[in-house]
Amino acid sequence: MNGGPAAGGRRVVVRPRSAVVALVAAGALGLATGRFVLPPPPGAIAHPAARSAAAVDGASQDASAPAAPGVSGPTPASSASGAGPGSDAPTGATGLVTTANLLDPAAFGPDIDTGRIHVTDRYGDGNYANPTCTGEKTLTQTLGGPGAHFRGLMTGTRTGPDDPTQAFDHADQVAREVAAETQSPSLAENFAQRLLLEQVPCQEEPVGHWVYGRTTTLRLAPDVTASWMGVYQGTLNTTGRAPEGTEPCGGIAVLRSGNHYGVLEVGACLGTAAMDRVVRTALSQL
């Protein structure tokens, strides 16, 4: 097809005589500068790259050349909660886990009288949670790794005969945390995923049995994440799954920060908002 009509319905015609004059002018310009640039047709707008080339002697730019290094289009906003330029978003942990990385009683105020909470610590292997639906396993059985730091937070002073981080009376157990480190952040991520998979089957249980609710994921930074599930008593389990729109009564969280990982089991009857706050605190401290 021939070119369509120009603006206003008229065709743009370059007369032969005008074209000859343009070519002669272009040749003269080429002899003077060593560059031969054909002028655009009358009424056409020169490409910005051509204008730039004409303004800088001896410089040229290919209109199809890629953008300069470091220049890119808009990128999607980060999904990290609280992360952004100028923010105080946490960074992934490095080095060894110590008791300073574990949750302390202050994290449970004001929901629980923190003055009543006693803390016991130990280092070694052992059950990292109480998922009776999947069988009580130790960290070594699940991960094959070395020992970890165990912390029990309890309102009573009597502890279990085999583990001082577990309350003698289950009702006295406010929370229990297990944390350790790995050789790399990628391995910590792998461990956290495996620990979470151990708990997921507990989201479906026979009617009348306690059950975990849906998984909620927190992401404070790319390598600072947590996944937690609320726990629901058997009287609320009427369908084999946790009821939607109902507050949990405590729960369990799997944490990862850099090369640190851990499991936090909350026995206190905390609802969604309180669980979210406690898990965030544990994650930031890990």
Side-chain angles (χ1 to χ4, degrees), residues 23-63:
L23 292 172
V24 172
L29 178 61
L31 290 174
T33 64
R35 301 172 64 241
F36 293 85
V37 180
L38 290 177
I45 299 176
H47 191 280
R51 291 201 301 267
S52 175
V56 181
D57 184 31
S60 64
Q61 179 178 345
D62 185 351

Side-chain angles (χ1 to χ4, degrees), residues 173-239:
Q173 193 86 46
V174 176
R176 187 165 177 265
E177 186 176 13
V178 182
E181 72 282 338
T182 65
Q183 293 86 357
S184 67
S186 60
L187 185 57
E189 181 180 16
N190 176 274
F191 280 8
Q193 290 174 346
R194 289 161 64 183
L195 290 169
L196 181 62
L197 288 175
E198 286 290 322
Q199 315 298 326
V200 169
C202 301
Q203 291 177 321
E204 295 186 21
E205 286 296 318
V207 172
H209 190 281
W210 70 266
V211 64
Y212 283 143
R214 62 182 179 84
T215 304
T216 298
T217 300
L218 303 177
R219 184 170 179 263
L220 304 188
D223 59 347
V224 183
T225 62
S227 296
W228 69 270
M229 298 174 284
V231 65
Y232 294 82
Q233 301 303 318
T235 55
L236 297 175
N237 176 10
T238 59
T239 63

Side-chain angles (χ1 to χ4, degrees), residues 71-175:
V71 179
S72 61
T75 56
S78 172
S79 62
S81 176
S87 71
D88 295 327
T91 56
T94 58
L96 300 177
V97 169
T98 69
T99 54
N101 297 114
L102 302 178
L103 206 58
D104 55 41
F108 294 90
D111 301 279
I112 300 173
D113 181 3
T114 57
R116 298 176 52 230
I117 300 177
H118 304 276
V119 175
T120 58
D121 292 324
R122 72 174 180 86
Y123 183 86
D125 190 22
N127 297 332
Y128 53 88
N130 187 33
T132 54
C133 57
T134 59
E136 296 182 350
K137 294 182 180 180
T138 68
L139 280 179
T140 299
Q141 289 172 331
T142 299
L143 304 176
H149 288 273
F150 287 71
R151 168 164 290 183
L153 299 101
M154 300 162 280
T155 54
T157 57
R158 296 183 63 191
T159 62
D162 301 323
D163 189 340
T165 66
Q166 291 183 312
F168 182 83
D169 185 347
H170 184 70
D172 292 337
Q173 193 86 46
V174 176

Side-chain angles (χ1 to χ4, degrees), residues 7-34:
R10 297 181 299 169
R11 293 180 180 275
V12 177
V13 180
V14 181
R15 298 181 181 279
R17 182 176 179 181
S18 298
V20 172
V21 172
L23 292 172
V24 172
L29 178 61
L31 290 174
T33 64

